[in-house]
Amino acid sequence: MNGVEYEIPIFPGRMRRRTGVAILIIVFVNFMIEEIIKMRFPRILLLLEAAVLILLGEKVKHLLERCVWRIEANGVRRTVFGVTKYISYGEIAEAMQTRKIKVTSTAYRIPEKRGYISFYYEVGNGPVQSRIMEAYRFFAGKVPGPLPKLSYNVIGNMDRSFYYKKERRNSSIIMIAASIALGTVDGDSVAFGCICAALGLIVQYAVLGNLFTAVYFGKKVEKKIQDLFAQYPNVKLRKVRISYVKMLFIIFAAVGMNMVFLFI
């Protein structure tokens, strides 16, 4: 069979979406700078600048969307900003003999001669996700040697792993931030200080449950992920370090800071 079999994006959807967000931030920052330093540019110039930046962002987003992998019967074509390169399955098989497949939190990365072919999970985008999984199954049938399966089970566990990682980070930040906030309370008002201290301790107590849950279930998810890839010696799995010791360190640090700010 000749011609294009499957077409998948080179850049993940998250990166393409962030292009528009970055442009809006730049526009906002420009307006804020104009206000802060009191440089009274004509408003029409600022509006024209904003329009140019937004149009430029859309152009960049369009260019990123046109960068694709084309999975064909005899090889893979990579098109980046209009430049196309052909990669045979033989080259990929040769690269796999000396380099491992990378399984990251966002994609399977299959080695080729000078880089990797990335099959992104695209969590939250069902149609694109389904197309990438179909392309990967077709690709796996063409490349000699065992490739790890890409399934909804794998993607779901990776998504949960990311969620619990974010919960651990956010909970740790909130606990420490609440302790620091206690140190900024004005000691002249006893009633106000007691109320702020009580609120800070309540927040820490509530977040403590989230932190423990994220550690407990995060470790379970990581064990499932490791079991899914245990049979593939040619896979390099991303590392996620989860430790009860680290959780206890955050708790003791928050408690110690509380004691310092409240009683010293």
Side-chain angles (χ1 to χ4, degrees), residues 16-28:
R16 299 194 300 273
R17 289 190 299 271
R18 285 181 176 177
T19 301
V21 175
I23 294 298
L24 292 176
I25 291 174
I26 292 173
V27 171
F28 175 76

Side-chain angles (χ1 to χ4, degrees), residues 168-189:
R168 291 192 298 274
R169 180 197 63 198
N170 292 345
S171 297
S172 299
I173 291 173
I174 292 172
M175 288 194 70
I176 298 299
S179 293
I180 295 174
L182 293 179
T184 64
V185 176
D186 187 1
D188 293 338
S189 175

Side-chain angles (χ1 to χ4, degrees), residues 221-231 237-238 240:
V221 168
E222 291 309 315
K223 180 63 169 59
K224 290 180 181 178
I225 292 174
Q226 290 173 7
D227 290 343
L228 288 171
F229 296 99
Q231 60 181 308
L237 185 61
R238 91 280 183 273
V240 178

Side-chain angles (χ1 to χ4, degrees), residues 119-145:
F119 292 83
Y120 291 98
Y121 307 141
E122 293 293 346
V123 174
N125 192 333
V128 175
Q129 187 181 75
S130 178
R131 188 168 76 247
I132 289 175
M133 291 175 64
E134 290 179 6
Y136 181 80
R137 284 193 289 268
F138 177 84
F139 176 86
K142 296 292 183 179
V143 177

Side-chain angles (χ1 to χ4, degrees), residues 145-171:
L147 293 184
K149 293 182 179 179
L150 179 58
S151 64
Y152 287 113
N153 185 27
V154 170
I155 296 172
N157 279 297
M158 287 294 184
D159 187 33
R160 284 189 288 274
S161 173
F162 175 78
Y163 168 77
Y164 289 127
K165 180 180 180 180
K166 185 171 65 174
E167 280 291 290
R168 291 192 298 274
R169 180 197 63 198
N170 292 345
S171 297

Side-chain angles (χ1 to χ4, degrees), residues 96-115:
M96 288 175 57
Q97 292 178 1
T98 56
R99 297 162 61 195
K100 290 189 174 185
I101 299 166
K102 290 186 177 181
V103 176
T104 72
S105 59
T106 58
Y108 280 11
R109 304 190 68 199
I110 312 299
E112 47 106 345
K113 192 173 182 180
R114 294 184 179 178

